[in-house]
Each structure stands twice: as C-alpha cells, then as structure tokens.
Amino acid sequence: MSLTINEISLITNSWTDFTENFESNGATIFIRLFDQNPELILLFPFGKRERTDAELKRHPLFKRHVRGVMNTINTAVNNIDNLSIIFPTLTQLGKKHQKYGVKPAFFTAVENALVYALSQALQDACTNDHEQAWRKLFQIISGTMKIGLEEQND
C-alpha cells in the first residue's frame, strides 16, 4: 500500500495544523479511544483505576504516552516520501507492545480515535479525502507494527 501525491499533501498540510496543539490533540485521541473502548484503558499503567478525563490529561504517564504516539506519527509524516525507512522502528515498537497485551484488532480503535481527533481539531477543513488519507497512513503504520506484534519472542 502506498500513498498518492494528493494523499501525502492532505496528510502533511493537515498534520501541520493538527500539531499546533500537539499534546491537547494527542490527548483527544486517547480520551476518545477510552470513551469508545473503555476496556483498553486497563492496558495502560495510568488506567488501573477509574479517572476522569481531566485526571488522565494531568497524569504523567498518560502525557508521556500521548507524546510518544504523537512523535511516532510525526516521524511517519516527516518520512512520508520514504516510509520504509521507519519500518524497522515500527516493527520493534509493535514487538514492544506484546508485553502490554495489545492485540492486532486494537489498532482499528486507535485509527478511529485518530480520525475523530483530526476531525475535531480541523473541523470543516477535515474532508472525507483527509480522513481516507489518514486512514491509509495509519494502516501502513499499524500494519508494520502488527508484524512486530505477531513475531515470536526469541
């Protein structure tokens, strides 16, 4: 799967706008993820007890995870013309997620949360074409992570 020139343009331009509020928009991804999939919060060290959205946003481990995910997406966007350069890193990241109990099916929920956060942040500027381009990029990222996730441990 590869991205078209138009998809690359849609992604890079919208990412610039989205990252003007880097941590806040990143937090929206995870708040939405947990609102729609409350069972997933238990996979995280900050999700071991019930917390409000405001408490989550202040939690240092939540903030660190948000930054990590946003930085990973940022790396993908910065290398969008040659995504294969980050495939080894994404595969290792997938392998790292084995110990947390992540399942391949969980990535669809994260994809949906990402698209939701983009649509909320960009509002009318987020078209169906933007959403489809972002879904395609995320499927490349998550597909590569799934390779590592499904690898047998040595």
Side-chain angles (χ1 to χ4, degrees):
M1 180 184 320
S2 61
L3 298 163
T4 67
I5 292 170
N6 185 53
E7 290 168 333
I8 290 170
S9 177
L10 289 168
I11 290 166
T12 55
N13 291 335
S14 59
W15 184 247
T16 299
D17 293 337
F18 187 71
T19 56
E20 286 178 7
N21 295 304
F22 192 84
E23 286 194 28
S24 176
N25 287 333
T28 299
I29 296 169
F30 284 92
I31 297 298
R32 177 65 173 193
L33 177 67
F34 301 145
D35 284 347
Q36 298 296 302
N37 309 273
E39 69 283 3
L40 295 184
I41 197 168
L42 298 175
L43 297 173
F44 296 87
F46 50 79
K48 301 305 180 202
R49 70 172 185 83
E50 198 164 311
R51 298 182 194 277
T52 65
D53 291 353
E55 288 172 324
L56 272 177
K57 288 178 183 179
R58 287 191 305 270
H59 196 287
L61 294 176
F62 176 83
K63 290 164 73 169
R64 187 173 84 188
H65 191 75
V66 165
R67 281 191 301 272
V69 170
M70 291 291 284
N71 284 330
T72 298
I73 297 169
N74 193 58
T75 300
V77 172
N78 288 339
N79 290 284
I80 201 161
D81 291 320
N82 186 15
L83 285 169
S84 62
I85 200 165
I86 64 167
F87 286 177
T89 301
L90 293 173
T91 302
Q92 280 303 113
L93 188 58
K95 190 166 190 151
K96 180 180 173 185
H97 279 70
Q98 286 177 346
K99 66 182 172 187
Y100 304 121
V102 172
K103 305 290 182 223
F106 297 169
F107 287 103
T108 301
V110 178
E111 175 186 326
N112 291 335
L114 169 63
V115 170
Y116 171 84
L118 285 158
S119 69
Q120 292 300 298
L122 303 175
Q123 298 182 357
D124 291 342
C126 187
T127 66
N128 187 54
D129 288 344
H130 284 92
E131 290 182 12
Q132 294 309 309
W134 273 102
R135 286 188 185 282
K136 196 169 174 182
L137 175 61
F138 190 80
Q139 288 165 14
I140 293 168
I141 293 169
S142 63
T144 307
M145 286 181 68
K146 286 176 191 177
I147 292 168
L149 186 66
E150 295 170 344
E151 280 182 3
Q152 296 297 316
N153 285 322
D154 298 329

